[in-house]
Amino acid sequence: MSKATSKSIASRWLALSLVFPLATGAQQLQPADTARAPFSPAGLGRAAWTWTGGSENTDWITRVIVAKDGSIVAVGFVNRIDGGSTTPEWDAVAMRFAPDGRLIWNRRYGGAGLDAFWDVKETRDGLAFTGFSVSSGAGGNDAWLVLADSSGNTRSEHRYGGSGDDRGTALVSAANGDLLIVGETEGDSTRGRDVFIVRVDSTGNEKWRRAHGGTGVDRAFYALPVSGGIVLAGVTGAVGAYDILTMKVDDSGEIVWRQVAGAEGNDANHGMNVLPDGRIMVGGYSQSWGATVHDVVALTYSPDGELLRQEMIGMPGDDRVMGTATDSAGGTWFTGYTRSDGSGGWDIMMARARPDGSFEPWLGAIGTAFDDNAYTIATASNGDLIIGGYTNAPGGAGSRSDLLVMRIDPREITRKTDGVVVRRIK
């Protein structure tokens, strides 16, 4: 049964320079008009529409998806503590937008502790959200599943874990209606973190759970269905000295193959997508292989786990990918944040790999004169890009990051070629 009551979250529209206060009373907010205005006063990319909202503290969008009806569902977290508090107290948030950016509904979930959503999937009768929660459970963070109707109303919620920290960071829908929650676990031991997989039926009843890892840190951030199971991407090693982990497990959660990519520096996974022919594209950012500060890396694997191609792209500054998505041509869009060349502070970074896994020789920037970060990306049926993350642009709810969702035509991205270096490693 549900332990959380859905509440509304902030509704704010128009340009990033306009602000509306955080709303806490209504169950659902009414749609608002869409802003047809540039995202960036400096001209670094022009969005079809943007939406921002949140508290006076740090708020993030962690995943966006394009639903079957063309609407956009975004999830993340918003702080309950405003002002300058450094102690996070999060509520999970979810919202649905019409294709033209009109807000359809906007909801808030959680209890008295730290609650966040990290992924969302459509189900046969609504939506499923996963993330982590400390509001109640076995101890520490628990992997969290919320089953909702198509309007975001909670039908049931479930927590999975032991006495240590357990987090859900990815969600996979199986053909029979089952759900697989993927993330990380400390279990009941102190040996480190392991990759965590829980399979549940369509009502959240657990069928089995698996943990895979060694004595160090093994974490899964992304998971997608493939023939014969699911593929996972994450990191392995030690904090600050990670390598990129990619693995396939079968329908029982047992490892089919496991690959690790890394060198002398810190190499972190962020992003994974499956290409139309079954190859697996894994994104990340790296301090290895001749990187400047951080450069973006693309790893292309065969369905059997063979590394087919590895490329890097970057400029003299810091370039980091945080999410990837396949487009209709079989290419891969990369988004994240960059300091290499932009309007000031961090800007939203954009890059694209061709279907063969090779980077096009440019890096894109979208942003304001303040910090802007993309954490997730999805592609719409007409080729537009849906981006979620945060912005520190003035006029928001406070000095900390605000939730950001935007839709942009790829042709509107400001593309830089000077100083861009593409290196093929394999």
Side-chain angles (χ1 to χ4, degrees):
M1 299 298 293
S2 174
K3 299 178 183 177
T5 301
S6 297
K7 297 173 285 183
S8 67
I9 69 169
S11 171
R12 288 184 300 143
W13 273 107
L14 306 181
L16 292 176
S17 60
L18 299 182
V19 59
F20 296 79
L22 185 68
T24 58
Q27 286 292 316
Q28 180 169 318
L29 303 178
Q30 295 301 311
D33 291 336
T34 302
R36 302 287 181 182
F39 171 68
S40 169
L44 288 178
R46 182 181 178 89
W49 55 261
T50 63
W51 179 94
T52 64
S55 69
E56 293 181 8
N57 218 310
T58 301
D59 313 302
W60 275 39
I61 295 295
T62 56
R63 196 64 52 90
V64 293
I65 64 169
V66 178
K68 294 176 183 177
D69 64 359
S71 65
I72 295 148
V73 181
V75 299
F77 60 86
V78 64
N79 266 272
R80 290 193 305 276
I81 304 299
D82 289 343
S85 173
T86 58
T87 302
E89 293 190 22
W90 299 344
D91 280 341
V93 294
M95 58 207 74
R96 187 189 286 270
F97 301 90
D100 64 0
R102 291 176 295 108
L103 181 64
I104 299 172
W105 54 259
N106 198 349
R107 297 193 181 279
R108 192 169 182 164
Y109 311 76
L114 193 71
D115 305 295
F117 287 153
W118 233 256
D119 201 1
V120 54
K121 289 289 184 292
E122 283 192 284
T123 63
R124 293 173 178 175
D125 56 0
L127 296 166
F129 309 111
T130 197
F132 49 86
S133 172
V134 298
S135 290
S136 62
N141 292 312
D142 287 318
W144 189 26
L145 176 69
V146 175
L147 301 175
D149 64 20
S150 60
S151 296
N153 299 302
T154 300
R155 287 175 166 161
S156 66
E157 62 174 303
H158 313 266
R159 292 173 173 84
Y160 313 91
S163 60
D165 282 340
D166 307 283
R167 300 171 185 254
T169 51
L171 193 60
V172 176
S173 299
N176 68 345
D178 285 357
L179 295 165
L180 291 98
I181 302 160
V182 176
E184 61 185 85
T185 181
E186 285 184 332
D188 297 311
S189 70
T190 57
R191 71 177 191 173
R193 294 181 182 269
D194 291 336
V195 171
F196 188 47
I197 310 169
V198 182
R199 186 169 186 137
V200 304
D201 65 19
S202 60
T203 61
N205 296 311
E206 183 175 332
K207 290 186 170 181
W208 51 255
R209 68 176 65 184
R210 302 283 185 267
H212 298 296
T215 58
V217 175
D218 298 278
R219 309 172 70 187
F221 300 146
Y222 302 90
L224 291 169
V226 292
S227 176
I230 61 174
V231 287
L232 320 174
V235 294
T236 184
V239 176
Y242 283 134
D243 292 326
I244 298 172
L245 171 66
T246 310
M247 57 191 292
K248 178 181 177 180
V249 301
D250 62 21
D251 290 329
S252 299
E254 301 300 333
I255 296 176
V256 177
W257 52 259
R258 181 180 187 272
Q259 293 286 2
V260 175
E264 68 279 1
N266 186 54
D267 307 303
N269 160 247
H270 274 288
M272 179 179 67
N273 50 292
V274 176
L275 302 176
D277 61 4
R279 287 174 299 135
I280 301 152
M281 172 67 77
V282 177
Y285 60 84
S286 174
Q287 294 176 323
S288 302
W289 302 295
T292 50
V293 183
H294 291 96
D295 286 343
V296 176
V297 61
L299 305 164
T300 308
Y301 289 98
S302 73
D304 296 326
E306 178 188 358
L307 179 60
L308 302 175
R309 190 181 190 110
Q310 179 180 345
E311 284 210 359
M312 296 182 70
I313 190 170
M315 295 181 73
D318 200 341
D319 308 298
R320 307 192 196 194
V321 63
M322 301 302 289
T324 64
T326 307
D327 63 23
S328 60
T332 298
W333 283 99
F334 291 70
T335 194
Y337 51 104
T338 179
R339 279 189 183 274
S340 283
D341 192 9
S343 59
W346 292 104
D347 289 308
I348 293 172
M349 184 277 300
M350 300 297 302
R352 185 180 183 273
R354 305 177 182 95
D356 66 357
S358 62
F359 278 113
E360 295 178 352
W362 57 269
L363 281 176
I366 309 169
T368 66
F370 298 83
D371 286 345
D372 308 295
N373 180 354
Y375 194 86
T376 177
I377 186 171
T379 53
S381 59
N382 70 341
D384 283 357
L385 305 176
I386 313 300
I387 295 169
Y390 71 76
T391 180
N392 285 350
S399 60
R400 305 292 182 92
S401 57
D402 288 331
L403 306 170
L404 169 66
V405 182
M406 62 186 296
R407 182 175 187 139
I408 189 167
D409 183 328
R411 294 171 296 183
E412 297 289 349
I413 297 169
T414 302
R415 303 186 181 196
K416 306 290 185 178
T417 56
D418 292 346
V420 174
V421 176
V422 178
R423 296 185 302 281
R424 182 168 182 179
I425 312 301
K426 175 183 172 61

